[in-house]
Amino acid sequence: MTGSTDTGLFTARNMTRAGLCAVAALALAGCGGKKETAGVMAPSQVTTIGVNSYLWRASLDALSFMPLLQSDSAGGVIVTDWYTNPKNPGERMKVTVMILDRDLRADALRVSAVREVAANGGWASAPVEAATVQKLEDIILTRARDLRRGSIGG
């Protein structure tokens, strides 16, 4: 008798051939397909500080005329020292800016101010107009948008 007596599906030759085909298929599957691209982050997220970098820089720009008492870029807090306007020496203000998020959004910014007026040789608390705080927030947000627009070229 010549040849092999194995005529079934599970012969050694068929098993070897199937194994080689499977290995080749797996090897080829790893070669093609889509290339992985690095995730593109929004420009507002590209930062080494803990908060939105545009809001942070805009806040520092807007408050640059006031002396800083504290600034924490990781926590997003800027506190000014008392500022007295030379044109109105009987009044002084202190401002706190908190940046609450890494995104450039209006609700990611909180500004508060304290005002004092000279009275009886000392300083007495006085109300701050809501329009003053709102105006400062608008200045910071507008500057932040301008900084972002300038960084992405449009």
Side-chain angles (χ1 to χ4, degrees):
M1 208 163 149
T2 60
S4 172
T5 57
D6 291 334
T7 58
L9 183 62
F10 296 107
T11 64
R13 177 181 278 172
N14 286 343
M15 293 297 286
T16 303
R17 187 176 294 154
L20 286 173
C21 286
V23 169
L26 287 174
L28 288 174
C31 291
K34 294 181 180 179
K35 291 182 181 178
E36 281 191 40
T37 57
V40 178
M41 293 178 68
S44 67
Q45 295 288 328
V46 181
T47 179
T48 57
I49 61 176
V51 295
N52 182 277
S53 60
Y54 302 120
L55 287 173
W56 180 255
R57 286 181 21 214
S59 298
L60 289 174
D61 286 353
L63 299 174
S64 63
F65 67 96
M66 299 178 84
L68 292 181
L69 187 61
Q70 174 188 3
S71 65
D72 176 15
S73 63
V77 177
I78 300 171
V79 180
T80 68
D81 203 355
W82 290 106
Y83 170 74
T84 303
N85 185 342
K87 294 179 182 177
N88 189 3
E91 175 181 292
R92 66 183 188 173
M93 290 196 69
K94 189 176 202 174
V95 177
T96 301
V97 175
M98 291 182 289
I99 302 169
L100 307 170
D101 200 348
R102 292 183 67 145
D103 291 327
L104 178 54
R105 302 184 332 210
D107 64 347
L109 180 69
R110 184 167 299 141
V111 177
S112 60
V114 177
R115 180 175 162 247
E116 291 183 345
V117 292
N120 299 328
W123 294 98
S125 293
V128 178
E129 292 182 29
T132 303
V133 173
Q134 184 63 46
K135 178 77 171 165
L136 188 53
E137 285 181 358
D138 290 344
I139 290 169
I140 292 170
L141 289 169
T142 301
R143 177 71 178 136
R145 283 188 214 107
D146 291 344
L147 288 170
R148 182 176 185 275
R149 207 173 292 125
S151 72
I152 60 174

